[in-house]
Amino acid sequence: MYYNASMPKVLTKEQIEQYHDEGFVFPIRVIPEDEALAIAAKIEEAERLYPKEIHAESRNNLHLSFSFLDRLVHNRTVVDAMEDILGPDLALWATVMFIKEPSSKHYVSWHQDATYMGMNDNRFATPWISLSASNTETGCMSMIPGSHIQEIRSHEDTFEKNNILTRGQAIMDVDESSAVDLILEPGEMSIHSGTVIHASKPNRSNNRRVGFALQSYMPPNIKQVVGRNIWTHVRGKQRSDPDDMTLDRPKYDMDPNTVAQRRIANENLAQILYKDSDVKRNY
Ligand SMILES: O=C(O)CCC(=O)C(=O)O
């Protein structure tokens, strides 16, 4: 059963319907363009100041180390939109910063996010906030409308060098003819479901493509069945299963308390995402 918002806060009824029919909805303005570009600049600054904490292979759960990213997780428009789709009680599982450098070969193969997340149910949603221009030249995401309605398809773990998914996991026989390019301006987001098939091509432009994936907001009926329950509480009733660990919010950039929690959360994430795999990458 899907949540049915009687009075949606941010999304229109049509957008909610589109999300359920197609598995994604876009574009939704979250912050002004100049604010998004300022956050992208802060990311570059953080890479210079804290090169061990944030780099291409240290990209998971950066919202625990940097308060300017934590604020996006709790951004009112983002959370209201999540409430419109999932209901009022929300926890966040993880975040991933997907950066594609200018003229680089990195890409994302066709996949469904839920495949290796180890949940008992896959009806969760991921906002992807564009902190740069995201278009066909910079390597935006493309999605197959309606593909979320089927079960998880078989994925092949390729571990291909330029594939920036953890296992380089790929669905091999995707009919791309109906694919939709999710073109976003800086500061806009898309929202996609845990089971929609999506991918992205390399960045052929001279600029960075920066996408912050808040993967994923979970309603309370969704439980972790592989690995530990580690959550960022976002809104409404807090999860309280005996073995839940609730993460704190950083009080400032590089808050040692949440930097330490990030290590624990990332180790747990790696155990979940690489379960039963002989190969492990550093992200
Ligand atoms: O940023 C990208 O190009 C892909 C991101 C993605 O696959 C996701 O957020 O689920």
Side-chain angles (χ1 to χ4, degrees):
M1 268 300 283
Y2 290 116
Y3 177 72
N4 187 2
S6 52
M7 293 264 288
K9 291 183 162 162
V10 163
L11 302 178
T12 62
K13 293 234 176 226
E14 290 71 29
Q15 284 175 314
I16 295 173
E17 236 171 74
Q18 190 192 342
Y19 174 83
H20 289 307
D21 289 349
E22 302 196 337
F24 58 90
V25 58
F26 77 107
I28 299 149
R29 170 68 56 194
V30 177
I31 47 175
E33 173 156 347
D34 57 348
E35 214 176 293
L37 297 177
I39 294 172
K42 272 180 163 239
I43 291 170
E44 288 189 30
E45 187 188 28
E47 287 167 337
R48 278 193 301 276
L49 293 175
Y50 310 107
K52 287 200 181 126
E53 190 68 15
I54 170 170
H55 56 82
E57 293 190 334
S58 181
R59 63 181 194 181
N60 294 332
N61 287 320
L62 286 166
H63 69 289
L64 297 173
S65 298
F66 297 101
S67 49
F68 65 92
L69 296 174
D70 164 80
R71 283 197 284 279
L72 287 176
V73 165
H74 297 272
N75 172 282
R76 181 127 188 203
T77 304
V78 172
V79 181
D80 280 352
M82 287 298 99
E83 180 169 337
D84 289 344
I85 290 175
L86 300 172
D89 301 318
L90 296 167
L92 176 75
W93 188 67
T95 60
V96 187
M97 188 65 72
F98 284 105
I99 296 180
K100 288 185 189 158
E101 299 296 344
S103 306
S104 60
K105 294 191 174 141
H106 295 129
Y107 72 97
V108 167
S109 48
W110 293 110
H111 69 287
Q112 292 162 296
D113 292 345
T115 311
Y116 296 110
M117 286 172 63
M119 299 293 165
N120 66 339
D121 187 301
N122 297 327
R123 273 165 291 178
F124 46 78
T126 297
W128 190 102
I129 305 175
S130 198
L131 299 172
S132 65
S134 193
N135 52 45
T136 51
E137 211 198 343
T138 63
C140 64
M141 287 194 290
S142 304
M143 308 226 160
I144 309 291
S147 58
H148 63 304
I149 288 161
Q150 60 199 303
E151 293 300 306
I152 297 292
R153 297 264 300 271
S154 162
H155 287 62
E156 189 178 311
D157 294 346
T158 70
F159 288 99
E160 208 278 323
K161 183 167 76 121
N162 291 316
N163 187 328
I164 55 174
L165 290 180
T166 46
R167 298 173 176 234
Q169 63 266 33
I171 305 171
M172 292 303 180
D173 53 346
V174 173
D175 173 7
E176 300 180 20
S177 58
S178 65
V180 175
D181 293 324
L182 271 52
I183 294 172
L184 297 171
E185 298 295 333
E188 290 180 336
M189 71 171 170
S190 55
I191 302 169
H192 66 270
S193 99
T195 49
V196 71
I197 297 177
H198 59 292
S200 70
K201 295 200 169 102
N203 179 1
R204 294 177 286 114
S205 79
N206 295 326
N207 300 306
R208 263 189 157 189
R209 196 228 60 177
V210 185
F212 191 37
L214 311 177
Q215 189 188 339
S216 303
Y217 289 81
M218 305 277 175
N221 61 303
I222 299 190
K223 308 279 183 204
Q224 186 80 57
V225 288
V226 174
R228 283 183 70 190
N229 304 317
I230 300 186
W231 310 100
T232 294
H233 176 66
V234 177
R235 177 177 281 179
K237 200 159 169 277
Q238 189 159 330
R239 285 173 180 254
S240 59
D241 287 345
D243 53 350
D244 281 347
M245 172 180 173
T246 301
L247 299 159
D248 295 322
R249 296 183 64 178
K251 293 194 168 60
Y252 47 87
D253 290 344
M254 295 298 287
D255 179 340
N257 172 43
T258 50
V259 166
Q261 289 185 352
R262 181 177 176 226
R263 303 277 172 278
I264 297 168
N266 282 353
E267 242 169 65
N268 187 48
L269 203 59
Q271 277 180 18
I272 295 167
L273 295 175
Y274 290 104
K275 182 173 182 286
D276 301 330
S277 170
D278 296 333
V279 188
K280 259 193 194 164
R281 303 209 250 204
N282 295 327
Y283 54 88

